[in-house]
Amino acid sequence: MSSFHPPLRPTPPTSHMAVAPRTITPLDTRAVTVSTLAFPLSADETAARVRVALLEDEAFNDISTLATVVSTRHVRCSIVARRDGVIAGIPLAVDAFRQLDANVTIRIEAEDGTRVKAGDTVMALTGHARGMLSAERTALNFLQHLSGIATLTCRFADAVQGTGAQILDTRKTTPGWRTLEKYAVRAGGGTNHRLDLRSGVLIKDNHLAAIGGDIAMAVARARALALTGTPVQVECDTLAQVDAAVAAGADWVLLDNMSLDQLREAVSRCRGRVVTEASGGVALDTVRAIADTGVDRISIGALTHSAPALDLGLDFDGL
């Protein structure tokens, strides 16, 4: 049965470590396994994705490091949070360091989904200095970007806590990064909207414009084509469209750029009949008021297309 949501439910980020610190040694073949969240890539897929990034950065031909650091030099270093946030992307960072130094030993202090404070250690590493230096940027790029998404999602989820509203992402993702970015949303306590165009029916304004605005016909055609059980959602700009979508038998209405008064009225008309989702221009300073209208879900494209990277750094100590 198709669904807007994958079978994985969001895992709320914790204020403390998700699990006790674990140490990854050169003999540990399950280094990318994360116990608190289901990472979306297999070990082989993770390694392939990381290798592409390392090759893009010419990390195996790092002339700065080769010229300045002797091959026998060992170091101890840590990835440290410079700002408060939520961590996501640990398996990718681990793999980046392991591809440059197969003998690296890593202690994970903050698993994916863990809230950290500025100054907290996320990951401690011991190994060859050359490997650390050459993998540093790729590891941090993965970790900072995904942690930024998790952090922003967490802030929205915190803002609506107690209202019953869920925070949803959208398909406004970086091409090629969707599964990872939607994973980061889950790490931050959000819920995934449909993964792709096949996962569910969403009849948007341009679909309606192409067929003369006939919501009943659009819903009927969607029911005829989609697999049984596939949810059918209709984007509505007006209350009249909400009434038409409900009458047509839609499962879900997307209330696009409506005022708070319109949202409250739409919720009243839909309660117990269809799922309501608010969308359009949602910000941290407005999301609570939107949630208080009684909508079931609030979708926010900014979670993935505008989340600032979480400030993390790699600090070195000599050995």
Side-chain angles (χ1 to χ4, degrees):
M1 180 183 295
S2 298
S3 171
F4 277 113
H5 301 294
L8 299 171
R9 303 300 296 166
T11 300
T14 61
S15 57
H16 304 289
M17 290 172 45
V19 294
R22 62 186 172 104
T23 299
I24 298 167
T25 69
L27 298 179
D28 188 347
T29 59
R30 302 185 65 189
V32 300
T33 299
V34 177
S35 59
T36 56
L37 285 167
F39 193 65
L41 305 181
S42 68
D44 288 344
E45 290 169 334
T46 300
R49 181 73 63 95
V50 170
R51 187 168 182 82
V52 167
L54 291 170
L55 290 172
E56 176 185 56
D57 202 33
E58 287 290 354
F60 299 98
N61 299 292
D62 176 4
I63 59 174
S64 301
T65 296
L66 292 172
T68 58
V69 181
V70 296
S71 61
T72 56
R73 178 67 174 170
H74 277 66
V75 294
R76 187 171 52 233
C77 58
S78 301
I79 293 180
V80 177
R82 309 288 195 222
R83 296 285 186 274
D84 296 357
V86 178
I87 297 302
I90 287 291
L92 296 155
V94 166
D95 207 85
F97 288 113
R98 293 189 82 182
Q99 288 198 34
L100 267 296
D101 178 8
N103 294 314
V104 66
T105 296
I106 302 173
R107 189 178 72 251
I108 308 300
E109 297 284 0
E111 299 280 8
D112 286 357
T114 304
R115 298 192 195 209
V116 294
K117 297 289 187 182
D120 285 353
T121 296
V122 175
M123 178 188 301
L125 308 98
T126 303
H128 290 285
R130 283 185 172 180
M132 305 290 188
L133 290 164
S134 298
E136 175 183 0
R137 178 42 48 201
T138 295
L140 288 176
N141 282 350
F142 279 120
L143 201 54
Q144 288 180 299
H145 176 59
L146 295 177
S147 296
I149 292 171
T151 298
L152 183 59
T153 302
C154 181
R155 289 174 181 162
F156 275 101
D158 282 351
V160 303
Q161 190 171 10
T163 66
Q166 291 182 319
I167 297 298
L168 271 60
D169 56 19
T170 70
R171 288 171 36 252
K172 297 176 182 177
T173 54
T174 307
W177 276 71
R178 181 169 295 171
T179 56
L180 290 172
E181 290 179 344
K182 282 181 170 281
Y183 165 76
V185 167
R186 297 197 300 276
T191 299
N192 295 148
H193 206 296
R194 59 177 181 164
L195 177 64
D196 50 42
L197 292 172
R198 190 182 180 184
S199 300
V201 175
L202 174 49
I203 301 166
K204 295 179 67 66
D205 53 355
N206 283 339
H207 293 108
L208 294 175
I211 60 171
D214 193 332
I215 290 176
M217 180 174 67
V219 171
R221 287 181 174 178
R223 293 280 186 220
L225 178 65
L227 293 175
T228 301
T230 300
V232 175
Q233 183 178 15
V234 179
E235 181 180 23
C236 301
D237 300 321
T238 67
L239 293 173
Q241 287 182 322
V242 171
D243 291 337
V246 172
D251 302 297
W252 192 328
V253 290
L254 190 159
L255 310 171
D256 187 46
N257 284 295
M258 288 190 176
S259 69
L260 295 179
D261 286 341
Q262 287 176 311
L263 288 174
R264 278 188 284 269
E265 179 60 26
V267 168
S268 177
R269 298 184 187 194
C270 293
R271 186 172 286 116
R273 305 172 72 185
V274 299
V275 174
T276 55
E277 173 192 339
S279 183
V282 181
L284 276 169
D285 60 355
T286 63
V287 70
R288 179 71 189 203
I290 293 171
D292 283 338
T293 65
V295 293
D296 299 303
R297 290 153 191 175
I298 303 171
S299 57
I300 306 165
L303 298 181
T304 50
H305 71 58
S306 296
L310 181 63
D311 192 359
L312 303 164
L314 187 67
D315 295 340
F316 276 66
D317 291 317
L319 258 186

